[in-house]
Amino acid sequence: MQRKHSESYIIFLCFSALNLNTVCGYERFGSFTMPSLFKQGDIMIGGIFPVFLKEIFNISTYERKPPEVRSFRWTQVMIFSVEEINKDASLLPNISLGYRILNSCASPTSALRAALTLASGLEEISSTSPCPPAISALIAESGSSQSIAVAGALGPFQLPIISYFSTCACLSNRVKYPTFFRTIPSDYFQAKALAALINHFGWQWIGVIQSDNDYGRNGVLAFTAEVKKFGVCIAFVGAILRTYTMDKILDVLEMIKQSTVKVILAFVQEGDFYPLMKEIVKQNITGIQWIATEAWITAPRPSTPEIYQAFGGTLGFVMQKMAIPVLPGEHIDSETTNKICTGNETLMNSQDVFFNVTELRDPYNVYKSVYAIAHALHQLVFCQPVGETTVKPCLNLSDIQPKQVRNSFGDNVFFDKNGDPPAYYDIINWQLINGQVKHVTLGHFVSIANGAYELNIQEEDITWRTGKMIPTSLCSNVCPIGTRKAQIKGKPTCCFDCIPCADGTIANSTGSTDKTVTVVSLLGASLSLATVIGFIYYKETPVIKASNSELSCFLLFSLLLCFLCPLTFIGRPTVWTCMLRHTAFAVTFALCISCVLGKTIVVVTAFRATFPGNKVATKFGPTQQRIIVCSCTVIQIVICMLWLNLIPPFPDMVFRYSNKKIVLECNPGSEAAFYAVLGYIGLLAVICLVLAFLARKLPDNFNEAKFITFSMLIFCSVWITFIPAYISSPGKFTVAVETFAILSSAFGLLICIFLPKCYIILIKPEKNSKRHVMGKI
């Protein structure tokens, strides 16, 4: 294989030297001829590789870039794979596979032109060569933008396209690109891997540089969605492209210099990033931990001691390392000699990385692409998978259509339903060993299923840009004890000031914020919901039946709403929140106390029913209970509607508390209406308290009147204390007093009425019997 590589490399360079005017498609107008590598076969496959970069022309001269060794290596892997398959008697027996390889110049337009040339068969091979069959499949392309152009144009013709290096998640869309497949994982998985890596090291403040094309834009979009799940903030997003002027590159460089980030993700292609890398080294910008994508982390051009000065310690993901087997008889001699050149030398003894086929990453994707096509062709021609005993072809080779080849990929082990391979990445770290930049594997990332993944990394072996210490990247340091976070206007959530806690408040943990009420509210709501579920599950047990399960569920539902009321007090007051916070509180608590009143009346009537001839209990059934709950609640709703229609609450700016600051608060609009809803709730609570007190000495072991009495005592105590505290509390403390009253009274009702029942159901199930409830034990 090595001899073939070296000979092909020399031939290709000579061939390109003779076709300077056609390397990247800049030939005489009207010609459709493109230089290529060609081999005749019974079945032909096409290949498109960016061996030469696009040329830059001016009026009289042009600048020509040297061949991309990395890309040329891909072409050689394709050639080798085809030759290996032709020598395999079991894969495509008695069938020769041929190829036609064109150059794309890493340009979408040139890639599309090459694809149309291959698909149309208009290229000129030789005047003496027989007309080759049309290609049955196409291996293309490296860049996502090029693959989008090729797949979009050739998709309607059902020609299967396999990419070896295009990772844009957009290409997994089977509706737009039904014939596109690839042997490299989608950026959907790489975005998850990069976000997991950043979260693993606790980096909260990062910068991003993207290629200004489909690969960069779609990749950063997916990464941003993933990384925000971990609360990470992106300081800036710079865009670069290989065809950009130096002014645009310097603008991105200035963005990096002005930022405070210490970690930057470069979601770029190597050709786009290299000019910026050289400028970063030139201006000696160091101290940044770089995160790389698979597009450049192992590229040979930037992997030099010069670039290492600024990019040492780079971390990134790349495809799993694999080896291509060398054919028998192609032994690689590692001995070196110092003989005088004879003119007959070859590159067989070269130790260059180009000729190392034991540790391949992206070239192995080309190898898998060719074999995927070969497996599909075997399935199509012999009507059975590879490995089974082949009898004879079931299809004439001249009848093969691209659509049939594409359909044969459905049974292919290389791809999933979206045309993507399994996601497995190695974690690579740039390290300088013996004066050379080495790509050291320190872990892996595996996507399992349903969004789950596994990330393993050997932290102790990482070479960081900052030495052996893990770098930190925070916009603001964690607030110390005694201070709290204050968001900076116009900045991401990761950027904040630490200000001293207000008088009368404390922060006893680092990183504290002032929205603790959210946690308490959601805790109460969760407990209410859990109790409802428990009551429904145990509804046939004596304890639940004795406590009137229907009213209990209504009460728990109303408590759930009561716990959610304080959430309306959070944030800047608006017209809608001001109206909602008071009316929601009034209606939900009226519903809550109405349910308690209904339960109390049931207990009292049950007590009266023990007297001979008393028929009150029979007249107070479920229907009457519902009427009481609804009617008591409707009265409160009417009061609130009158309040909102006549003088509704509104947001107000208050100056009276301090001459140094303005306080934004909700003005109730009508104080009389506010105290009217409070008074009505108090009236219901007092009636409940009196009735429950009268029935407190019922003989049953499970006398609910005792629990209701105690809960109403707590409720009335809280709200009696609330009125003077509310009147005397200025500004934001008014809100604190009201939310405290709502939460404490709701917790009082929940704990006093339902905790004893939950205790018996969950802890003492032996007491959950009719005999114990009736007090007969």
Side-chain angles (χ1 to χ4, degrees), residues 429-445:
N429 182 218
W430 273 19
Q431 297 184 8
L432 194 64
I433 301 175
N434 297 328
Q436 291 186 327
V437 177
K438 298 294 183 181
H439 308 135
V440 182
T441 303
L442 294 179
H444 67 268
F445 174 93

Side-chain angles (χ1 to χ4, degrees), residues 179-180 205 287 363 366 379 383 593 760:
T179 64
F180 181 84
W205 183 237
V366 180
Q379 176 73 33
C383 298
I593 304 303
I760 291 178

Side-chain angles (χ1 to χ4, degrees), residues 416-468:
D416 62 14
K417 63 180 181 180
N418 293 323
D420 296 326
Y424 186 105
Y425 296 98
D426 284 340
I427 302 174
I428 296 298
N429 182 218
W430 273 19
Q431 297 184 8
L432 194 64
I433 301 175
N434 297 328
Q436 291 186 327
V437 177
K438 298 294 183 181
H439 308 135
V440 182
T441 303
L442 294 179
H444 67 268
F445 174 93
V446 181
S447 179
I448 303 172
N450 300 322
Y453 60 82
E454 177 185 301
L455 177 70
N456 292 321
I457 186 168
Q458 303 167 16
E459 294 185 31
E460 64 277 4
D461 297 330
I462 297 177
T463 295
W464 297 102
R465 187 72 200 104
T466 54
K468 283 295 179 182

Side-chain angles (χ1 to χ4, degrees), residues 244-538:
Y244 274 4
T245 62
M246 183 55 65
D247 288 340
K248 289 188 176 182
I249 293 175
L250 292 177
D251 287 343
V252 176
L253 189 68
E254 192 64 26
M255 193 183 299
I256 296 172
K257 292 165 66 175
Q258 295 296 327
S259 177
T260 59
V261 299
K262 298 300 179 184
V263 176
I264 298 179
L265 166 66
F267 211 110
V268 294
Q269 293 168 317
E270 180 257 336
D272 298 332
F273 195 34
Y274 190 66
L276 179 61
M277 297 177 85
K278 291 193 297 183
E279 199 63 31
I280 289 173
V281 172
K282 180 180 177 181
Q283 298 197 21
N284 195 29
I285 300 175
T286 59
I288 294 175
Q289 178 62 48
W290 290 90
I291 308 298
T293 60
E294 91 297 326
W296 67 274
I297 184 67
T298 57
R301 184 165 61 162
S303 302
T304 62
E306 177 192 5
I307 299 297
Y308 188 88
Q309 298 174 42
F311 291 84
T314 294
L315 282 174
F317 292 93
V318 75
M319 293 72 66
Q320 189 178 10
K321 184 189 301 181
M322 301 295 289
I324 293 179
V326 179
L327 294 176
E330 296 191 348
H331 174 70
I332 299 176
D333 186 6
S334 60
E335 296 181 2
T336 58
T337 61
N338 295 320
K339 295 180 181 180
I340 299 175
C341 294
T342 63
N344 297 319
E345 286 76 22
T346 69
L347 299 176
M348 284 200 56
N349 296 327
S350 173
Q351 299 300 310
D352 191 275
V353 68
F354 180 90
F355 301 103
N356 183 3
V357 296
T358 62
E359 296 185 351
L360 297 177
R361 297 188 188 277
D362 44 278
Y364 193 76
N365 292 339
V366 180
Y367 186 76
K368 286 193 296 183
S369 300
V370 179
Y371 267 84
I373 294 173
H375 277 251
L377 289 171
H378 182 101
Q379 176 73 33
L380 177 63
V381 174
F382 298 102
C383 298
Q384 58 186 17
V386 176
E388 298 185 10
T389 304
T390 303
V391 181
K392 61 179 181 179
C394 61
L395 179 69
N396 194 319
L397 297 186
S398 60
D399 295 332
I400 293 178
Q401 298 296 322
K403 183 178 181 180
Q404 296 173 301
V405 181
R406 185 260 180 199
N407 293 337
S408 297
F409 283 140
D411 302 322
N412 208 309
V413 297
F414 293 89
F415 314 109
D416 62 14
K417 63 180 181 180
N418 293 323
D420 296 326
Y424 186 105
Y425 296 98
D426 284 340
I427 302 174
I428 296 298
N429 182 218
W430 273 19
Q431 297 184 8
L432 194 64
I433 301 175
N434 297 328
Q436 291 186 327
V437 177
K438 298 294 183 181
H439 308 135
V440 182
T441 303
L442 294 179
H444 67 268
F445 174 93
V446 181
S447 179
I448 303 172
N450 300 322
Y453 60 82
E454 177 185 301
L455 177 70
N456 292 321
I457 186 168
Q458 303 167 16
E459 294 185 31
E460 64 277 4
D461 297 330
I462 297 177
T463 295
W464 297 102
R465 187 72 200 104
T466 54
K468 283 295 179 182
M469 294 181 60
I470 299 177
T472 59
S473 189
L474 301 171
C475 182
S476 301
N477 293 322
V478 178
C479 290
I481 294 175
T483 63
R484 67 175 181 87
K485 297 178 182 178
Q487 193 65 44
I488 302 175
K489 186 177 181 180
K491 294 283 187 178
T493 56
C494 299
C495 302
F496 50 83
D497 290 328
C498 296
I499 62 175
C501 294
D503 293 339
T505 63
I506 62 169
N508 57 4
S509 62
T510 58
S512 294
T513 65
D514 56 353
K515 292 186 179 181
T516 306
V517 65
T518 305
V519 178
V520 180
S521 296
L522 294 178
L523 174 63
S526 302
L527 291 175
S528 301
L529 184 61
T531 308
V532 169
I533 295 172
F535 264 57
I536 294 173
Y537 185 79
Y538 293 99

Side-chain angles (χ1 to χ4, degrees), residues 629-639 680:
V629 172
C630 292
S631 58
C632 292
T633 307
V634 167
I635 294 173
Q636 185 75 300
I637 293 175
V638 172
I639 297 174
Y680 181 71

Side-chain angles (χ1 to χ4, degrees), residues 171-186:
L171 287 164
S172 297
N173 188 332
R174 305 311 288 168
V175 176
K176 293 184 67 176
Y177 311 108
T179 64
F180 181 84
F181 301 84
R182 54 184 157 196
T183 52
I184 184 172
S186 163

